[in-house]
Amino acid sequence: MPVLRAASRTADVTGSGSQGCHNDLMHTLLLMRHAQAAPMAATDHDRPLTAYGRRQAHEMGLQLAGRKIDLAMVSSARRTQQTFEELAVDCRVETMRVLYGCTVPTMRQRISESLDDEVNTLLVVAHSPAIPQLAAQLSADPTDSRGQSMLCHYPPATLTEIAVDGPWREITDEFATSTSLRGVWEPPM
């Protein structure tokens, strides 16, 4: 079973305490780095998962079993596509080339532009450094160094769950939406 590394750190990035709440618009954002990939292929985009990576992704799929995920946004890279396949999640999927090698601002923009508030739970399967950087930004109080640990330790197939209190469109502004960390799960070694 996946290992729970951290949970229940709260960050009110609005700085306004409970006044910043949008209780009627609570969403869940699941951020996942692809599982272990082969070190080489014809191109980086074509790198497949290793057998171990397939097992990692399958184990993380067990963590998601029974969850209602409305949409998955998955990088077009082979390893992220294979990671998503191994998760065995039943939901609508958007394959996005822009998620391959993108920056955090680009990822925030794609999330905010692609979603309406009918999507309650979003899964994003993409790459480091954008996934751990976004996870750290959304899960840590700017005055708390605990979120920074994700920048140093976010192994392949790690999954972070973030509560987003507000509309998806506000995710582009790192100070507009209140977020809280629900958990970080790492695959077994």
Side-chain angles (χ1 to χ4, degrees):
M1 286 300 291
V3 177
L4 179 64
R5 179 163 51 97
S8 300
R9 289 184 293 208
T10 301
D12 177 6
V13 294
T14 64
S16 59
S18 62
Q19 294 172 346
C21 288
H22 304 278
N23 290 330
D24 56 334
L25 292 176
M26 185 63 77
H27 302 293
T28 300
L29 176 60
L30 300 165
L31 298 171
M32 184 174 184
R33 181 179 176 195
H34 63 79
Q36 184 187 71
M40 294 175 44
T43 68
D44 183 69
H45 194 268
D46 292 331
R47 288 173 45 215
L49 292 183
T50 62
Y52 177 67
R54 287 188 175 279
R55 287 191 306 274
Q56 285 180 314
H58 176 78
E59 285 292 320
M60 297 312 288
L62 297 175
Q63 179 67 32
L64 296 172
R67 302 279 305 260
K68 168 99 172 70
I69 298 173
D70 300 302
L71 175 65
M73 294 169 56
V74 183
S75 161
S76 61
R78 185 174 178 193
R79 59 193 176 272
T80 53
Q81 294 291 310
Q82 290 177 334
T83 296
F84 181 74
E85 289 169 11
E86 291 293 329
L87 293 175
V89 173
D90 183 24
C91 68
R92 186 167 54 102
V93 182
E94 290 184 19
T95 298
M96 299 182 151
R97 179 139 181 115
V98 71
L99 294 179
Y100 174 71
C102 75
T103 63
V104 171
T106 299
M107 189 172 289
R108 283 176 177 268
Q109 180 181 5
R110 295 308 306 153
I111 292 169
S112 75
E113 290 177 352
S114 299
L115 302 180
D116 60 41
D117 289 317
E118 298 300 312
V119 173
N120 291 315
T121 301
L122 169 67
L123 169 64
V124 179
V125 182
H127 309 268
S128 181
I131 288 287
Q133 287 174 351
L134 182 57
Q137 287 177 11
L138 295 177
S139 65
D141 180 322
T143 63
D144 186 344
S145 64
R146 293 179 295 177
Q148 297 303 311
S149 68
M150 285 188 222
L151 298 174
C152 300
H153 182 76
Y154 204 95
T158 295
L159 175 71
T160 300
E161 181 175 347
I162 306 285
V164 179
D165 186 11
W168 289 115
R169 70 180 175 278
E170 290 183 3
I171 206 97
T172 56
D173 181 354
E174 65 183 279
F175 301 107
T177 300
S178 179
T179 59
S180 60
L181 178 66
R182 290 188 181 149
V184 177
W185 293 269
E186 294 178 10
M189 292 298 185

